[in-house]
Amino acid sequence: MFFKNARILTEDFTFRFGAFEVTDGKFGEILLENVPEDAIDLEGATVIPGLVDVHSHGNSGADFSDGDYEGLKAMAAYYAQVGVTSFAPASMTLPYDVLAVAFGNAKRLVEEAPAGLSVLRGIQMEGPYFSYNKRGAQNPAYLKAPDFEGFKALQEGCGGLVRIVDIAPELPGAEEFIRQAKELCTVSVAHTEAEYTHAKMAFDTGATHLTHLYNAMPAIHHRNPGVIPAAAENPNVRVELICDGLHAHPAMVRFAFSIFGGKRMVLVSDSGRCCGMPNGSKFELGGQDAWLVDGVARLADGTIACSATNLYDCMVNAIRFGIAEEDAVRAASYNPACAIGADRQVGSIKTGKVADFLVCTEDYAKRRVFMAGREL
Protein backbone atom coordinates (compact mmCIF):
# COMPACT_ATOMS: atom_id res chain seq x y z
CA MET A 1 0.00 0.00 0.00
CA PHE A 2 1.31 3.44 -0.91
CA PHE A 3 0.38 6.92 0.31
CA LYS A 4 1.29 10.11 -1.54
CA ASN A 5 0.95 13.88 -1.33
CA ALA A 6 1.61 13.99 2.40
CA ARG A 7 3.47 16.25 4.80
CA ILE A 8 5.39 13.57 6.71
CA LEU A 9 7.18 13.91 10.04
CA THR A 10 10.20 11.81 9.15
CA GLU A 11 12.43 9.86 11.53
CA ASP A 12 14.65 12.89 12.20
CA PHE A 13 11.52 14.81 13.25
CA THR A 14 11.55 17.15 10.31
CA PHE A 15 8.47 17.63 8.14
CA ARG A 16 9.03 16.70 4.50
CA PHE A 17 6.59 16.49 1.64
CA GLY A 18 6.32 13.20 -0.21
CA ALA A 19 5.07 9.63 -0.24
CA PHE A 20 5.56 6.50 1.84
CA GLU A 21 4.92 2.79 1.70
CA VAL A 22 3.24 0.39 4.12
CA THR A 23 3.84 -3.33 3.71
CA ASP A 24 2.82 -6.20 6.00
CA GLY A 25 1.79 -3.73 8.70
CA LYS A 26 5.13 -1.93 8.77
CA PHE A 27 6.57 1.17 7.17
CA GLY A 28 8.41 0.47 3.94
CA GLU A 29 10.27 3.11 1.97
CA ILE A 30 9.78 6.69 3.17
CA LEU A 31 9.85 9.66 0.77
CA LEU A 32 9.46 7.49 -2.31
CA GLU A 33 10.76 8.88 -5.57
CA ASN A 34 8.82 6.59 -7.89
CA VAL A 35 5.26 6.74 -6.59
CA PRO A 36 2.74 4.24 -8.00
CA GLU A 37 -0.17 5.84 -9.82
CA ASP A 38 -2.69 4.06 -7.60
CA ALA A 39 -1.14 5.40 -4.34
CA ILE A 40 -3.67 6.80 -1.88
CA ASP A 41 -3.72 10.60 -2.21
CA LEU A 42 -3.64 12.27 1.20
CA GLU A 43 -4.13 15.69 -0.41
CA GLY A 44 -1.40 17.47 1.54
CA ALA A 45 -2.46 16.23 4.98
CA THR A 46 -0.01 16.02 7.88
CA VAL A 47 1.20 12.52 8.82
CA ILE A 48 2.66 11.91 12.28
CA PRO A 49 3.51 8.76 14.27
CA GLY A 50 0.88 7.13 16.45
CA LEU A 51 1.05 8.59 19.95
CA VAL A 52 2.40 6.74 23.00
CA ASP A 53 0.95 7.53 26.44
CA VAL A 54 3.14 6.19 29.25
CA HIS A 55 1.12 7.69 32.09
CA SER A 56 -2.64 7.27 32.01
CA HIS A 57 -4.79 5.68 34.67
CA GLY A 58 -7.96 5.27 32.68
CA ASN A 59 -10.85 6.68 30.71
CA SER A 60 -14.46 5.97 29.79
CA GLY A 61 -15.37 5.05 33.38
CA ALA A 62 -12.60 2.44 33.68
CA ASP A 63 -9.34 2.55 35.64
CA PHE A 64 -6.36 0.24 35.15
CA SER A 65 -6.16 -0.39 38.89
CA ASP A 66 -9.72 -1.75 38.94
CA GLY A 67 -8.29 -5.07 37.82
CA ASP A 68 -11.17 -5.47 35.34
CA TYR A 69 -10.10 -6.94 32.02
CA GLU A 70 -13.12 -5.66 30.07
CA GLY A 71 -12.49 -2.20 31.50
CA LEU A 72 -8.87 -2.35 30.32
CA LYS A 73 -10.07 -3.28 26.83
CA ALA A 74 -12.49 -0.36 26.88
CA MET A 75 -9.61 1.93 27.82
CA ALA A 76 -7.52 0.58 24.93
CA ALA A 77 -10.40 1.12 22.51
CA TYR A 78 -10.71 4.77 23.55
CA TYR A 79 -6.96 5.35 23.25
CA ALA A 80 -6.95 4.00 19.70
CA GLN A 81 -9.85 6.21 18.64
CA VAL A 82 -8.07 9.38 19.81
CA GLY A 83 -4.77 8.48 18.17
CA VAL A 84 -2.92 6.90 21.10
CA THR A 85 -1.85 3.71 19.36
CA SER A 86 0.42 2.46 22.18
CA PHE A 87 0.12 2.92 25.93
CA ALA A 88 1.58 1.96 29.28
CA PRO A 89 -1.19 2.28 31.89
CA ALA A 90 -0.28 3.69 35.29
CA SER A 91 -1.28 2.02 38.52
CA MET A 92 -2.12 3.76 41.81
CA THR A 93 -0.82 3.41 45.36
CA LEU A 94 -2.64 0.23 46.37
CA PRO A 95 -1.89 -3.09 48.12
CA TYR A 96 0.31 -5.51 46.25
CA ASP A 97 -2.47 -8.07 45.81
CA VAL A 98 -4.66 -5.48 44.09
CA LEU A 99 -1.80 -4.39 41.85
CA ALA A 100 -1.03 -8.02 40.97
CA VAL A 101 -4.53 -8.46 39.53
CA ALA A 102 -4.26 -5.31 37.43
CA PHE A 103 -0.78 -6.27 36.21
CA GLY A 104 -2.08 -9.74 35.34
CA ASN A 105 -4.77 -8.18 33.15
CA ALA A 106 -2.09 -6.17 31.36
CA LYS A 107 -0.22 -9.39 30.64
CA ARG A 108 -3.42 -10.98 29.33
CA LEU A 109 -4.10 -8.06 27.00
CA VAL A 110 -0.59 -8.33 25.55
CA GLU A 111 -1.00 -12.07 25.02
CA GLU A 112 -4.47 -11.86 23.45
CA ALA A 113 -3.76 -8.69 21.42
CA PRO A 114 -7.37 -7.95 20.36
CA ALA A 115 -7.68 -6.19 17.02
CA GLY A 116 -8.55 -2.51 16.83
CA LEU A 117 -7.24 -1.63 20.28
CA SER A 118 -4.27 0.46 21.31
CA VAL A 119 -1.33 -1.83 22.03
CA LEU A 120 -0.26 -2.17 25.66
CA ARG A 121 3.53 -1.92 25.69
CA GLY A 122 4.24 -1.74 29.40
CA ILE A 123 3.09 -0.52 32.81
CA GLN A 124 4.06 2.50 34.87
CA MET A 125 3.99 1.53 38.55
CA GLU A 126 3.05 4.83 40.20
CA GLY A 127 3.36 4.07 43.89
CA PRO A 128 3.41 2.99 46.65
CA TYR A 129 6.97 4.26 47.38
CA PHE A 130 6.05 7.91 47.91
CA SER A 131 6.31 10.79 50.35
CA TYR A 132 3.25 11.26 52.54
CA ASN A 133 3.31 15.04 52.19
CA LYS A 134 3.60 14.89 48.40
CA ARG A 135 1.20 12.02 47.87
CA GLY A 136 -1.21 14.17 45.85
CA ALA A 137 -4.24 12.04 45.01
CA GLN A 138 -2.49 8.79 46.02
CA ASN A 139 -4.16 6.94 48.90
CA PRO A 140 -2.04 7.47 52.06
CA ALA A 141 -3.30 4.23 53.60
CA TYR A 142 -1.17 2.19 51.20
CA LEU A 143 2.10 4.10 51.09
CA LYS A 144 5.19 1.94 51.68
CA ALA A 145 8.93 2.26 52.09
CA PRO A 146 10.93 1.17 49.02
CA ASP A 147 10.66 -2.60 48.77
CA PHE A 148 12.65 -4.14 45.95
CA GLU A 149 11.61 -7.72 46.69
CA GLY A 150 7.94 -6.76 46.61
CA PHE A 151 8.44 -4.86 43.36
CA LYS A 152 10.42 -7.71 41.84
CA ALA A 153 7.64 -10.19 42.64
CA LEU A 154 5.09 -7.99 40.87
CA GLN A 155 7.44 -7.55 37.92
CA GLU A 156 7.97 -11.28 37.58
CA GLY A 157 4.25 -11.93 37.97
CA CYS A 158 3.40 -9.88 34.91
CA GLY A 159 6.25 -11.13 32.76
CA GLY A 160 8.41 -8.03 33.11
CA LEU A 161 5.80 -5.59 31.83
CA VAL A 162 6.64 -2.85 34.33
CA ARG A 163 8.62 -0.40 32.22
CA ILE A 164 8.66 2.51 34.69
CA VAL A 165 8.66 2.32 38.48
CA ASP A 166 8.27 5.49 40.56
CA ILE A 167 9.98 6.36 43.83
CA ALA A 168 10.57 9.27 46.21
CA PRO A 169 14.39 9.24 46.57
CA GLU A 170 14.47 10.75 50.07
CA LEU A 171 12.87 7.64 51.58
CA PRO A 172 15.09 5.22 53.53
CA GLY A 173 16.39 2.49 51.22
CA ALA A 174 15.68 4.47 48.04
CA GLU A 175 19.27 4.49 46.79
CA GLU A 176 19.62 0.72 46.94
CA PHE A 177 16.16 0.28 45.39
CA ILE A 178 17.15 2.47 42.44
CA ARG A 179 20.43 0.61 42.04
CA GLN A 180 18.59 -2.72 41.77
CA ALA A 181 15.44 -1.66 39.95
CA LYS A 182 17.26 0.16 37.14
CA GLU A 183 18.41 -3.25 35.92
CA LEU A 184 14.78 -4.23 35.34
CA CYS A 185 13.15 -1.03 34.03
CA THR A 186 13.25 2.76 33.94
CA VAL A 187 13.24 4.31 37.43
CA SER A 188 11.39 7.60 37.87
CA VAL A 189 11.45 10.19 40.64
CA ALA A 190 7.92 11.03 41.74
CA HIS A 191 5.68 12.30 44.57
CA THR A 192 8.69 13.53 46.46
CA GLU A 193 9.89 16.13 48.97
CA ALA A 194 13.49 15.52 47.93
CA GLU A 195 16.05 18.25 48.28
CA TYR A 196 18.62 18.72 45.54
CA THR A 197 21.13 16.32 47.10
CA HIS A 198 18.63 13.44 47.31
CA ALA A 199 17.41 14.09 43.78
CA LYS A 200 20.96 14.25 42.40
CA MET A 201 21.75 11.00 44.18
CA ALA A 202 18.76 9.36 42.48
CA PHE A 203 19.76 10.51 39.01
CA ASP A 204 23.44 9.71 39.55
CA THR A 205 22.45 6.24 40.77
CA GLY A 206 20.38 5.48 37.70
CA ALA A 207 16.94 7.08 37.77
CA THR A 208 16.34 8.49 34.27
CA HIS A 209 12.77 9.78 34.43
CA LEU A 210 10.78 12.42 36.31
CA THR A 211 7.05 11.86 36.72
CA HIS A 212 4.63 14.73 35.94
CA LEU A 213 7.05 17.66 36.17
CA TYR A 214 6.05 20.39 38.67
CA ASN A 215 3.29 18.28 40.24
CA ALA A 216 3.84 16.52 43.59
CA MET A 217 7.38 17.86 44.03
CA PRO A 218 9.03 20.98 45.52
CA ALA A 219 9.00 24.14 43.46
CA ILE A 220 12.31 25.59 42.24
CA HIS A 221 13.95 27.89 44.79
CA HIS A 222 17.22 29.72 44.27
CA ARG A 223 18.67 28.56 47.62
CA ASN A 224 16.96 25.19 47.74
CA PRO A 225 16.79 24.09 44.10
CA GLY A 226 15.17 20.70 44.66
CA VAL A 227 14.31 18.03 42.11
CA ILE A 228 13.81 20.00 38.90
CA PRO A 229 17.30 21.52 38.52
CA ALA A 230 18.83 18.17 39.48
CA ALA A 231 16.91 16.58 36.61
CA ALA A 232 17.73 19.41 34.21
CA GLU A 233 21.49 19.13 34.64
CA ASN A 234 21.55 15.37 34.08
CA PRO A 235 21.31 14.75 30.31
CA ASN A 236 20.05 11.19 30.82
CA VAL A 237 16.79 12.27 32.45
CA ARG A 238 13.52 12.64 30.58
CA VAL A 239 10.61 14.48 32.19
CA GLU A 240 6.87 14.00 31.89
CA LEU A 241 4.51 16.94 31.56
CA ILE A 242 0.73 16.99 31.82
CA CYS A 243 -0.27 19.53 29.18
CA ASP A 244 -4.01 19.81 29.88
CA GLY A 245 -3.84 23.55 30.59
CA LEU A 246 -4.57 22.92 34.27
CA HIS A 247 -1.69 21.00 35.82
CA ALA A 248 0.87 23.40 34.35
CA HIS A 249 0.45 27.00 33.15
CA PRO A 250 1.27 27.53 29.45
CA ALA A 251 4.29 29.63 30.44
CA MET A 252 5.61 26.70 32.48
CA VAL A 253 5.08 24.39 29.51
CA ARG A 254 7.26 26.69 27.41
CA PHE A 255 9.76 26.94 30.27
CA ALA A 256 10.04 23.14 30.51
CA PHE A 257 10.71 22.72 26.79
CA SER A 258 13.27 25.53 26.86
CA ILE A 259 15.14 23.98 29.82
CA PHE A 260 14.97 20.30 28.88
CA GLY A 261 14.72 20.59 25.09
CA GLY A 262 12.47 18.68 22.74
CA LYS A 263 14.51 15.46 22.99
CA ARG A 264 13.90 15.05 26.74
CA MET A 265 10.24 16.03 27.11
CA VAL A 266 7.52 13.38 27.47
CA LEU A 267 3.94 14.56 27.19
CA VAL A 268 1.48 12.46 29.19
CA SER A 269 -2.24 12.68 29.86
CA ASP A 270 -2.31 11.30 33.44
CA SER A 271 -5.99 10.78 32.67
CA GLY A 272 -8.33 9.04 35.09
CA ARG A 273 -11.55 7.18 34.51
CA CYS A 274 -13.26 10.58 34.29
CA CYS A 275 -11.72 11.16 30.85
CA GLY A 276 -14.64 10.89 28.44
CA MET A 277 -17.24 11.07 31.24
CA PRO A 278 -19.86 13.87 31.48
CA ASN A 279 -19.41 16.98 33.62
CA GLY A 280 -20.48 16.51 37.23
CA SER A 281 -19.57 12.82 37.34
CA LYS A 282 -18.55 11.26 40.62
CA PHE A 283 -15.85 8.61 40.29
CA GLU A 284 -13.38 6.56 42.31
CA LEU A 285 -9.62 7.12 42.25
CA GLY A 286 -7.36 4.74 44.17
CA GLY A 287 -10.07 4.01 46.75
CA GLN A 288 -11.01 7.68 47.15
CA ASP A 289 -14.07 9.57 45.90
CA ALA A 290 -13.48 12.26 43.29
CA TRP A 291 -15.60 14.56 41.15
CA LEU A 292 -15.30 16.00 37.64
CA VAL A 293 -16.53 19.59 37.62
CA ASP A 294 -15.97 21.92 34.65
CA GLY A 295 -13.20 19.71 33.34
CA VAL A 296 -11.31 19.57 36.65
CA ALA A 297 -11.01 16.34 38.66
CA ARG A 298 -10.72 16.84 42.42
CA LEU A 299 -10.84 14.83 45.62
CA ALA A 300 -13.29 15.78 48.37
CA ASP A 301 -10.70 18.05 50.02
CA GLY A 302 -10.18 19.96 46.77
CA THR A 303 -6.90 18.30 45.78
CA ILE A 304 -6.49 18.24 42.01
CA ALA A 305 -6.42 14.62 40.98
CA CYS A 306 -5.89 13.07 37.55
CA SER A 307 -6.59 14.88 34.31
CA ALA A 308 -9.68 14.49 32.14
CA THR A 309 -7.76 15.01 28.89
CA ASN A 310 -6.30 12.56 26.39
CA LEU A 311 -2.74 12.72 25.03
CA TYR A 312 -3.73 13.90 21.57
CA ASP A 313 -5.41 16.97 23.07
CA CYS A 314 -2.36 17.52 25.32
CA MET A 315 -0.14 17.53 22.23
CA VAL A 316 -2.42 20.02 20.47
CA ASN A 317 -2.40 22.17 23.62
CA ALA A 318 1.41 22.21 23.60
CA ILE A 319 1.43 23.47 20.02
CA ARG A 320 -1.20 26.05 20.90
CA PHE A 321 0.91 27.17 23.88
CA GLY A 322 3.82 27.93 21.56
CA ILE A 323 5.82 24.68 21.43
CA ALA A 324 7.31 23.88 18.02
CA GLU A 325 5.12 21.38 16.21
CA GLU A 326 7.97 18.92 15.70
CA ASP A 327 8.90 19.02 19.41
CA ALA A 328 5.32 18.56 20.59
CA VAL A 329 4.75 15.54 18.37
CA ARG A 330 8.10 14.01 19.31
CA ALA A 331 7.25 14.44 23.01
CA ALA A 332 4.00 12.53 22.48
CA SER A 333 5.43 9.72 20.35
CA TYR A 334 9.14 8.91 20.12
CA ASN A 335 10.32 10.17 23.51
CA PRO A 336 7.74 8.19 25.52
CA ALA A 337 8.46 5.13 23.38
CA CYS A 338 12.12 5.49 24.40
CA ALA A 339 11.14 5.76 28.07
CA ILE A 340 9.48 2.33 27.98
CA GLY A 341 11.96 0.69 25.62
CA ALA A 342 9.51 0.47 22.71
CA ASP A 343 11.32 2.84 20.34
CA ARG A 344 12.52 0.03 18.08
CA GLN A 345 8.91 -0.90 17.36
CA VAL A 346 6.98 2.39 17.42
CA GLY A 347 7.26 6.11 18.01
CA SER A 348 8.49 7.37 14.64
CA ILE A 349 7.90 6.98 10.94
CA LYS A 350 10.82 4.80 9.94
CA THR A 351 11.33 1.87 7.60
CA GLY A 352 10.72 -1.39 9.47
CA LYS A 353 8.71 0.02 12.36
CA VAL A 354 5.05 -0.78 12.96
CA ALA A 355 2.97 1.44 10.68
CA ASP A 356 1.03 3.27 13.38
CA PHE A 357 0.33 6.78 12.12
CA LEU A 358 -2.17 9.62 12.18
CA VAL A 359 -3.36 11.64 9.20
CA CYS A 360 -4.22 15.12 10.47
CA THR A 361 -5.47 18.43 9.20
CA GLU A 362 -3.02 21.33 9.25
CA ASP A 363 -4.41 22.58 12.57
CA TYR A 364 -4.83 19.05 14.03
CA ALA A 365 -8.58 19.62 14.32
CA LYS A 366 -9.32 16.22 12.82
CA ARG A 367 -7.39 13.00 12.46
CA ARG A 368 -7.55 9.57 10.90
CA VAL A 369 -5.93 6.72 12.83
CA PHE A 370 -3.96 3.90 11.22
CA MET A 371 -2.65 0.95 13.20
CA ALA A 372 -0.27 -1.51 11.53
CA GLY A 373 -1.22 0.20 8.28
CA ARG A 374 -4.97 -0.30 8.63
CA GLU A 375 -7.37 2.55 9.26
CA LEU A 376 -9.59 2.24 12.32
Side-chain angles (χ1 to χ4, degrees):
M1 186 180 299
F2 298 87
F3 297 83
K4 66 181 179 181
N5 196 12
R7 178 175 172 259
I8 308 164
L9 188 65
T10 53
E11 63 178 288
D12 63 351
F13 289 91
T14 300
F15 280 104
R16 293 184 171 89
F17 200 82
F20 63 97
E21 177 189 14
V22 172
T23 179
D24 295 328
K26 295 185 177 182
F27 289 114
E29 188 176 349
I30 311 298
L31 299 175
L32 290 166
E33 293 184 0
N34 299 312
V35 183
E37 291 185 3
D38 62 350
I40 298 170
D41 191 347
L42 296 180
E43 301 178 340
T46 294
V47 177
I48 63 173
L51 305 190
V52 182
D53 197 346
V54 298
H55 191 150
S56 170
H57 297 279
N59 60 64
S60 310
D63 189 295
F64 174 54
S65 295
D66 289 343
D68 174 50
Y69 184 63
E70 293 304 315
L72 182 59
K73 287 172 62 179
M75 288 167 52
Y78 173 86
Y79 293 132
Q81 290 299 322
V82 298
V84 178
T85 54
S86 298
F87 73 110
S91 57
M92 294 287 291
T93 293
L94 291 163
Y96 283 162
D97 60 338
V98 176
L99 294 177
V101 174
F103 291 9
N105 282 327
K107 184 172 183 286
R108 178 182 172 187
L109 188 65
V110 170
E111 292 170 347
E112 295 185 358
L117 305 185
S118 181
V119 177
L120 192 149
R121 298 190 184 275
I123 296 167
Q124 177 163 177
M125 184 172 166
E126 191 183 8
Y129 316 127
F130 290 156
S131 159
Y132 178 87
N133 291 330
K134 290 295 184 180
R135 66 190 183 279
Q138 302 285 335
N139 194 326
Y142 305 120
L143 294 173
K144 292 175 65 70
D147 171 21
F148 178 74
E149 292 305 318
F151 160 69
K152 184 180 177 183
L154 286 168
Q155 177 74 307
E156 292 174 346
C158 65
L161 272 178
V162 178
R163 299 287 191 260
I164 302 174
V165 62
D166 295 357
I167 187 169
E170 72 275 19
L171 298 178
E175 183 173 2
E176 184 58 27
F177 180 95
I178 295 168
R179 199 179 306 281
Q180 294 178 289
K182 72 176 183 181
E183 302 300 325
L184 302 181
C185 68
T186 294
V187 179
S188 184
V189 170
H191 289 270
T192 174
E193 293 183 279
E195 296 183 353
Y196 172 82
T197 52
H198 281 123
K200 186 177 187 304
M201 173 278 295
F203 299 131
D204 288 346
T205 301
T208 56
H209 200 81
L210 183 60
T211 295
H212 45 52
L213 179 70
Y214 304 130
N215 302 119
M217 65 185 63
I220 300 173
H221 188 278
H222 58 286
R223 286 191 297 272
N224 186 17
V227 176
I228 299 171
E233 64 187 14
N234 188 315
N236 298 318
V237 178
R238 297 185 184 90
V239 298
E240 297 179 359
L241 184 64
I242 308 168
C243 199
D244 60 352
L246 172 68
H247 283 77
H249 188 279
M252 297 308 289
V253 173
R254 294 188 292 271
F255 179 75
F257 273 83
S258 69
I259 294 297
F260 289 93
K263 294 182 180 180
R264 296 171 61 190
M265 293 298 302
V266 175
L267 292 178
V268 298
S269 70
D270 198 11
S271 64
R273 72 173 80 243
C274 57
C275 180
M277 293 174 67
N279 187 50
S281 296
K282 179 182 178 181
F283 63 101
E284 184 266 340
L285 182 69
Q288 303 170 100
D289 289 335
W291 288 263
L292 178 65
V293 180
D294 297 330
V296 183
R298 297 183 186 272
L299 302 182
D301 63 3
T303 299
I304 295 176
C306 54
S307 88
T309 307
N310 64 67
L311 180 59
Y312 185 87
D313 288 344
C314 288
M315 180 192 72
V316 174
N317 282 341
I319 297 169
R320 184 166 57 87
F321 294 162
I323 303 306
E325 185 182 358
E326 297 87 346
D327 287 343
V329 176
R330 179 182 181 131
S333 56
Y334 181 71
N335 295 353
C338 290
I340 59 172
D343 50 298
R344 292 186 178 181
Q345 292 78 42
V346 295
S348 59
I349 296 174
K350 181 179 180 181
T351 300
K353 286 191 176 184
V354 178
D356 292 348
F357 62 96
L358 313 183
V359 178
C360 307
T361 56
E362 184 178 0
D363 60 359
Y364 294 91
K366 294 182 180 180
R367 66 190 168 262
R368 295 164 62 189
V369 181
F370 291 77
M371 293 187 62
R374 295 187 177 184
E375 185 169 12
L376 294 185

